[in-house]
Structures are given as structure tokens and as C-alpha cells.
Amino acid sequence: MAFMHACQYHGCRSPVTSTMADVLQLNTNSLQVPGEDRSASTSPSGSPSPSRNECSITPLTPSPSPRTEVRPRVARPFSVVVAIDFGTTSSGYAFSFTEDPETIHMMRRWEGGDPGVANQKSPTCLLLTPDLRFHSFGFAARDSYHDLDPEEARHWLYFDKFKMKIHSTSDLTMETELESVNGRRVRAIEVFAHALRFFREHALKEVKDQSSSVLEGNEVRWVITVPAVWRQPAKQFMREAAYLAGLVTPDSPEQLLIALEPEAASIYCRKLRLHQVIDLSQRPVTNVLDVEGSRPFDSSFRQAREQLRRARHSRTFLVESGTGELWSEMQTGDRYIVADCGGGTVDLTVHQIEQPQGTLKELYKASGGPYGAVGVDLAFEAMLCQIFGADFIESFKAKRPAAWVDLTIAFEARKRTAAPGRANSLNISLPFSFIDFYKRHRGQSVETALRKSNMNFIKWSSQGMLRLSAEAMHELFQPTINNIIKHIENLVQKEEVKGVHFLFLVGGFAESPMLQRAAQNALGRNCRIIIPHDVGLTILKGAVLFGLDPTVVRVRRCPLTYGVGVLNRFVEGRHPRDKLLIKDGREWCTDILDRFVSVDQSVALGEVVRRSYTPARMGQRKIIINIYCSDTDDITYITEPGVRKCGAITLDLLESGAVAASAGDNDKGSAFERREIRTTMQFGDTEIKVTAVDVATGQLVRASIDFLSN
């Protein structure tokens, strides 16, 4: 197949040769960028050669503003919606039948678990056999790994908190690898597919148990949650993992929705009744005690725990058919922030509810960062490195991986009990193998190492435990909590966000009294801080509601500027000379970014960007147009700092059909009767989608955007 990469950022800068004459043409008739230089965006309809950066398309017409086209709501054959909340530290699923959308069914309780810890979700950990076959997931994986003989455990592959790798990898591809606890590496896509396949089997079995009719595979709509701050490659990665796991096939992409975690939480929060939330701002804090001398904060947390305990006996949740009581207190135009405080990331979205229809409008692009509860775990590990030496900790993790996992589990259980008013120390058991390994490795006892470290707030207990004082626990939490509070404070200073009246804290980390207290002290005076009782399940329930009605979020903000690189007519004095390309007597400016959408631009559901392309030659079977993105909108050329190639649109032309073509060379260049492929791009959904039509035949052209290939 002969095709050319339209714009290759790192393309060849050697002179253009005659063998590169096959080009793509681009016709634009949608989306003008505010303040765009019109003269620099219009070019004649010739056929310029590719630039030194291999830009081989040029806009034929100016680009007007985006058009809103109301997409007809197509009746879907889905009988049930199954949502998977794939978290960094814990995961779970829930489902709802479309004939009874006000009832959300939660998954069965998991076997195993930790005393005193709600186990409605399962730890996100996976165990593979030495020959890379799936063994178990969740509590079963953790317990099986713990029970392995230490020598045997070194050959098994145990993965936990692996979702963070997808967030932190800047050049994510299908070949990106994950490292298990024992150091062996496996393709990340396979690890995620194993986990999703596990949930698929469990969920389908439970759905079938509850369903009176026989369900076909295409009757299930799947929803997978991801952080809103994830970029397009990470979202595509989860979709590819779902395909590999057999949730849906690539031929039925509409059967799978990618839901944004804080957005899902927001969708659920709008259903809440007053008795289903804790309003921290109604409990002012003076030091730790209120005027009556009781601990209001602690009592509110006990109230939440009791509500959660009661809820655990029922796996069925009923939601309001309209919007909940809390929303009735809001005026049209009221703004609120949802802070999704998870294990790996903290995600912030700003929404406005549109009355009376109850739809949501995103007011500011999603923000956040890697400030989840894992930060407290990393602080604990850093503390151990400070006491015992980083080289020892690394060696222990490699030689005794199962014992290291035991230690992290012990810390996790104590971390959950940490509270601001707590005065007594917390005991954390050190595995015997840790104590023994340290003595053989260093020639001294753990107790001696603690004494030499001069860390006064950590003591050694003769029962083989580390005793962390309340001050020590506070120190471990503080950096992560400070990051979260600072991020929220910065957000509320933004012009688009001023006047926020409500802050919803959701996600597993929002259960932490340490975080709740910090939010109450820093933010409680200016807005009401609301915490749903079932805070760890808020995203899961919201994801089900999103699957039932994906149109509930009507307007989103674009997180990045997207466009393609094109050739435009060169204008002396406006364009730099190093961008000049002369071909067939014409002067072209290369590397110009032709925008699709701009960063922080409001894009409504149903709003589309149109572009038209034509194949270079008769019989050509494929067109590839490379896409560029940037965090800012103040850019003109794809070669500027901060602009990066992020994906490619592939247009599969299949049969070329009878396409008339004639070529006549004259001094004005070539003129072709072109086959027009009209593409429509949707930026208002959680994922960017492309459809394409062959204008001559009216047939749909297979179109896709690939964000995962380098």
C-alpha cells in the first residue's frame, strides 16, 4: 500500500525529491480558532510536495467555527450495563438492568479481606504463574502469594498498584512493560487484560444469576473508569486491554464506554439525598474539640462507618429517578468541585448543573496529579530506607518479595486507622524474615538500626513491631495531603471556578479522617464540604449511571490543543524564511499547525469538527494523517517547544471504486478531480472519535485514531 505520513515531527530535513510527489490534500470547512490569521490559513488548490518535515496536506478553504449537530439518539439493544471501577489500590464492579435503571446491583463480597476493612472492592493485585499464566486476582492473589514457599515465590509474578504505571509513562505503547515484585517484566497490556478478564467472568456470572432471560454478549454495555487527567493514549490503552480481555470486540466499539472517574462521581452525587451524605462544613472545628467538648469530627466519621456497615448487608442500591434533595438547594448556575481522591491520583473536575433537565456542564478542564493514597505508602518506604538503608530495602524486596508484600499490607491496615485526634502509637508488624535478613545483611539488629537513626517518634517493640507515634503518622500523610489541598486552593482561584459553593470529596482516600480534617480546616469556611456515606463506591455507582445515559454530561472542556501540520501559502514578512518551501514555482510555508480544537475550549456533546481528505493516487487504499497536541494554544508551528505528535488518523479506503482522475500540468500546478473523504471528529465525548464518508459513493470509510504507536 502506498501512503505517506502527512506530518512527521521528526521527519527528514533533506531536500524534497521527485519520488515524494504523491501527496494528500486536505479540505477544511469547520472550526475556526479565535484570533486565527485568516491569510495564513488559506491556500490554493494545487498539489504541493511534502515539506522537509513531510507535511503533505494543505487546507483548501478557511476553517469556520465548530458546528453543533444534534446526533439522533439511537435505541441501543443493551439489556444491562456493567461498570468496572479499575482502581490503583482496589477495584470492583456493579451493574444495572436497563428495564430497572434506578436499581444498582453491587458485586458479591470477596473472599478473604482484612479485619475491619470494608471489602466491597478487591485489592488491585494480580498473580501469574512462573510460565505467565493467570492464577488469581485480588485477595486470592494476595493470599496465594503469601502462602508460597519463599524460594518458590521468587519465580511467581505478583503485580500491585500497577495502574500508576499507565499514568506515569509518557510514551505509552502496546509494548510498554510492567515489572512484577520479583523483577520480571511482562507487557502491561497483558496484565491489564488478565485483570479485566477476571472481572468479566465474575460480573457475567452474577448478571446471569440475577437475570430471568438469557443474555447475549451484545446485550451488555461495559463501562471502565479512568482518571480524568489521563491523556488519550492511556484511555486507548484501557480500550485495547478490554478488547484483548474479550469484553467487547473492536467491531463493536460502542459497547464499551470509558468513564472519567470524577465525572462518574459527579453523576452519582446529583442523585444524593441529604441523609446519604456528611456535611463537614456544618461541624465547625475549634482546635480538636468543639464548644461542648466532644469530637464532632470523630462522631461524623463514626456515623459514616455505621452507615457503610449497614449498607454492606445489602448489595442493592436505589437511586433517585430525578435529582436528589441536595441539588434542590442549588440554584441554576451553581458550581461545584468533585475531588476524586483515589489510591494513585487525585482528580478534580468543576461542574455546573443545568436546571431543570439536570444535565452537567464542565466549567474547567480536569486537573490533578499523582497525589493519591499511594503517596503515604511511598513516604513509609522512604522512612524505612532512611532507617535501614535504601540498598537493604531494595535487596529485601528482590530476595523476599512475599515478605515485602506482607509488610505493605500491615502498613495499609494501620494507615486506615490513622486519625487527627489519635494520641496513642500505631504498631506495625515487621515480618520475621525482615528482622532476620537485616541481621545477616548488616550484622546488627533492627533495634540497633532504629536507635542509630535518631528518629525519636519511631520506637521498637519487643514483640517485633515498629511503634509509630501520632506525630510520625502525621509526617507520613502530610506531603500528600498538602499537595491535594494546595491543588484545590489553586483551582478555586481560577476565574472560571470562582464562586464554588460545594466541594464533594469522593474516592477511597476520602475515607481518611486525616484528609477530611485537612480539607475542613483549609476549605470549610468558603464552601460546603460534602462526603457521600459510601464514598469508596461513589465512582462505581456513577459509572453505572453514565452507562445508562452517556448524554448526562452535556459540555466538556478540551484538555489539550489538537491539530495537524499543513502547508500554507508563504507570506513574506509573516512566515520565517526557514519554513519556506518552493515547489513548481510556488512558495509554501511548512509545519503550520491547523487546529481542530483549542485547550480549555468548551465542546458540547454532538459538536463536530469536519475535515476532508483525498487520496494521493487512484487505487490508494489508506491515508494516514498525523495528529499533534500541545498544553497551550499560543502556537503556530508543529516544531515549536511543547508540541508533540500524539496520534494518527488512519482512513481505510477499502475498494477505491471508479474514481475519475485527470491530471494536467501547467504553470499553475496540477489540477485533479479528487475523491473526497469527509471526516467528522467528535471531541465532546470522553474519547475522541472519528467517522468518515466517501462523498462520491456515500459509503462509510473505516476511520480510527491511534494514540499508542510511536
Side-chain angles (χ1 to χ4, degrees):
M1 290 181 201
F3 60 89
M4 300 199 57
H5 287 261
C7 305
Q8 187 69 39
Y9 184 90
H10 299 292
C12 173
R13 286 199 164 268
S14 59
V16 179
T17 65
S18 58
T19 57
M20 296 172 70
D22 290 332
V23 296
L24 302 170
Q25 298 295 318
L26 166 67
N27 174 28
T28 65
N29 58 4
S30 173
L31 196 68
Q32 175 179 341
V33 179
E36 185 178 4
D37 183 349
R38 306 306 317 150
S39 61
S41 300
T42 309
S43 294
S45 57
S47 296
S49 287
S51 80
R52 289 155 296 187
N53 268 351
E54 295 186 22
C55 285
S56 56
I57 52 178
T58 177
L60 301 179
T61 56
S63 303
S65 298
R67 261 202 295 254
T68 300
E69 296 182 357
V70 180
R71 281 182 274 159
R73 292 188 65 175
V74 182
R76 294 295 184 194
F78 306 122
S79 303
V80 63
V81 169
V82 181
I84 299 172
D85 178 10
F86 199 114
T88 301
T89 51
S90 61
S91 300
Y93 66 87
F95 58 94
S96 179
F97 295 98
T98 50
E99 62 187 21
D100 184 17
E102 287 158 34
T103 304
I104 298 174
H105 304 270
M106 305 303 296
M107 68 214 141
R108 291 192 180 97
R109 290 186 61 187
W110 301 98
E111 295 301 318
D114 305 314
V117 176
N119 60 340
Q120 280 179 297
K121 293 205 286 187
S122 182
T124 309
C125 43
L126 175 78
L127 183 63
L128 301 182
T129 63
D131 58 354
L132 305 182
R133 285 182 296 108
F134 175 83
H135 181 272
S136 48
F137 183 87
F139 289 115
R142 220 174 65 175
D143 295 345
S144 299
Y145 192 56
H146 173 273
D147 293 340
L148 287 170
D149 176 85
E151 189 56 40
E152 195 182 3
R154 291 172 61 179
H155 303 288
W156 286 61
L157 288 78
Y158 181 84
F159 299 88
D160 67 345
K161 301 183 177 68
F162 50 87
K163 183 181 170 190
M164 278 302 286
K165 172 80 173 179
I166 306 307
H167 177 74
S168 59
T169 302
S170 58
D171 56 346
L172 183 66
T173 71
M174 297 288 279
E175 302 305 317
T176 296
E177 291 183 328
L178 290 174
E179 191 173 293
S180 65
V181 173
N182 69 358
R184 282 185 66 184
R185 302 177 72 83
V186 179
R187 285 172 71 219
I189 196 84
E190 291 171 16
V191 174
F192 277 78
H194 279 307
L196 290 173
R197 197 176 295 116
F198 168 84
F199 279 113
R200 173 185 175 274
E201 289 167 6
H202 271 258
L204 286 181
K205 183 178 186 305
E206 194 164 348
V207 167
K208 284 169 183 170
D209 288 348
Q210 301 237 10
S211 174
S212 54
S213 58
V214 179
L215 280 176
E216 299 296 328
N218 60 2
E219 290 183 78
V220 181
R221 163 170 267 169
W222 295 89
V223 182
I224 299 176
T225 64
V226 304
V229 290
W230 272 16
R231 289 185 165 157
Q232 294 298 332
K235 293 176 189 173
Q236 185 187 334
F237 179 91
M238 288 302 283
R239 179 170 282 280
E240 296 292 344
Y243 291 155
L244 191 59
L247 267 68
V248 300
T249 67
D251 295 331
S252 308
E254 72 285 347
Q255 253 192 279
L256 171 66
L257 293 177
I258 300 295
L260 309 181
E261 287 163 358
E263 202 172 87
S266 181
I267 291 166
Y268 178 67
C269 285
R270 70 195 251 287
K271 298 281 191 181
L272 288 171
R273 300 180 67 86
L274 290 172
H275 72 271
Q276 294 174 312
V277 302
I278 303 165
D279 189 343
L280 287 186
S281 37
Q282 290 176 357
R283 300 179 172 83
V285 177
T286 2
N287 297 324
V288 173
L289 306 176
D290 69 2
V291 284
E292 285 87 22
S294 64
R295 284 193 167 84
F297 182 83
D298 292 350
S299 66
S300 70
F301 196 69
R302 279 200 302 275
Q303 175 194 341
R305 280 281 166 91
E306 176 60 21
Q307 178 76 15
L308 194 60
R309 187 190 65 75
R310 281 197 227 106
R312 235 176 269 145
H313 294 294
S314 168
R315 292 189 297 109
T316 303
F317 287 84
L318 299 178
V319 292
E320 294 285 291
S321 55
T323 52
E325 293 168 303
L326 202 59
W327 255 249
S328 64
E329 298 181 29
M330 289 191 180
Q331 307 296 314
T332 297
D334 271 1
R335 305 157 176 198
Y336 63 95
I337 295 174
V338 175
D340 168 24
C341 307
T345 55
V346 168
D347 245 354
L348 305 176
T349 50
V350 186
H351 278 165
Q352 191 173 51
I353 194 154
E354 300 175 308
Q355 303 286 22
Q357 66 271 38
T359 52
L360 303 176
K361 177 180 181 181
E362 188 179 22
L363 293 178
Y364 190 76
K365 65 175 182 174
S367 62
Y371 316 134
V374 169
V376 184
D377 305 339
L378 294 174
F380 176 64
E381 186 177 332
M383 184 192 76
L384 293 178
C385 288
Q386 201 173 336
I387 297 169
F388 303 108
D391 59 331
F392 167 75
I393 295 297
E394 285 307 309
S395 179
F396 180 71
K397 284 163 76 173
K399 301 282 177 57
R400 300 284 186 272
W404 172 255
V405 171
D406 285 349
L407 177 54
T408 60
I409 292 168
F411 175 70
E412 175 70 25
R414 306 316 291 150
K415 180 178 81 173
R416 288 171 180 265
T417 65
R422 189 182 182 116
N424 56 321
S425 297
L426 288 165
N427 289 334
I428 296 169
S429 298
L430 280 181
F432 171 75
S433 59
F434 185 100
I435 299 166
D436 179 60
F437 196 76
Y438 186 77
K439 187 153 193 173
R440 287 196 284 118
H441 197 270
R442 287 280 200 259
Q444 64 180 29
S445 69
V446 162
E447 187 179 1
T448 304
L450 267 171
R451 199 167 51 245
K452 286 183 177 178
S453 72
N454 293 322
M455 288 193 172
N456 298 326
F457 44 70
I458 301 170
K459 305 293 183 189
W460 175 247
S461 157
S462 55
Q463 284 91 18
M465 296 181 180
L466 291 177
R467 286 181 59 78
L468 269 69
S469 67
E471 182 191 358
M473 215 57 178
H474 177 82
E475 289 293 319
L476 294 180
F477 274 84
Q478 218 47 45
T480 299
I481 287 177
N482 285 347
N483 273 328
I484 296 170
I485 300 301
K486 185 178 175 185
H487 206 89
I488 297 174
E489 287 176 333
N490 289 342
L491 182 63
V492 297
Q493 298 304 315
K494 306 282 184 190
E495 197 57 45
E496 303 90 331
V497 185
K498 281 184 179 172
V500 161
H501 299 302
F502 291 84
L503 168 65
F504 289 88
L505 286 183
V506 301
F509 196 23
E511 290 182 14
S512 166
M514 305 285 271
L515 176 58
Q516 292 182 1
R517 168 61 60 83
Q520 188 181 25
N521 287 344
L523 307 159
R525 288 181 182 82
N526 300 319
C527 63
R528 288 174 65 182
I529 300 171
I530 308 289
I531 302 176
H533 282 154
D534 51 348
V535 65
L537 301 174
T538 303
I539 290 157
L540 188 48
K541 295 175 188 174
V544 173
L545 296 175
F546 177 68
L548 291 165
D549 180 16
T551 66
V552 64
V553 181
R554 198 187 61 80
V555 178
R556 291 184 175 89
R557 294 277 180 158
C558 196
L560 296 168
T561 295
Y562 287 100
V564 297
V566 298
L567 300 171
N568 274 336
R569 176 81 64 85
F570 188 86
V571 179
E572 193 67 53
R574 178 178 295 134
H575 297 137
R577 297 294 297 178
D578 65 350
K579 298 291 183 191
L580 173 63
L581 174 72
I582 300 175
K583 181 65 178 172
D584 295 330
R586 288 190 173 192
E587 294 187 340
W588 298 96
C589 180
T590 187
D591 299 337
I592 290 177
L593 181 82
D594 185 49
R595 289 171 181 76
F596 293 156
V597 288
S598 298
V599 64
D600 209 29
Q601 178 179 331
S602 273
V603 190
L605 207 61
E607 215 161 32
V608 298
V609 178
R610 291 200 178 283
R611 292 288 190 271
S612 289
Y613 306 97
T614 186
R617 296 182 310 281
M618 281 184 64
Q620 187 170 321
R621 303 288 292 276
K622 186 174 287 193
I623 300 176
I624 294 185
I625 309 288
N626 287 332
I627 303 176
Y628 296 84
C629 65
S630 171
D631 294 307
T632 66
D633 190 41
D634 185 24
I635 44 176
T636 306
Y637 304 102
I638 61 172
T639 50
E640 290 178 32
V643 181
R644 61 191 182 279
K645 181 191 166 192
C646 64
I649 302 176
T650 300
L651 302 175
D652 236 327
L653 306 182
L654 304 175
E655 294 304 319
S656 60
V659 181
S662 59
D665 289 329
N666 54 39
D667 59 351
K668 292 181 182 175
S670 302
F672 293 97
E673 185 176 336
R674 296 179 189 83
R675 175 185 180 190
E676 183 185 352
I677 308 298
R678 187 174 296 157
T679 63
T680 301
M681 278 155 279
Q682 299 165 8
F683 287 85
D685 295 293
T686 58
E687 298 172 275
I688 298 172
K689 297 172 185 171
V690 179
T691 54
V693 173
D694 188 334
V695 174
T697 64
Q699 287 186 324
L700 224 60
V701 173
R702 190 173 174 81
S704 63
I705 301 184
D706 184 8
F707 291 104
L708 286 173
S709 61
N710 276 335

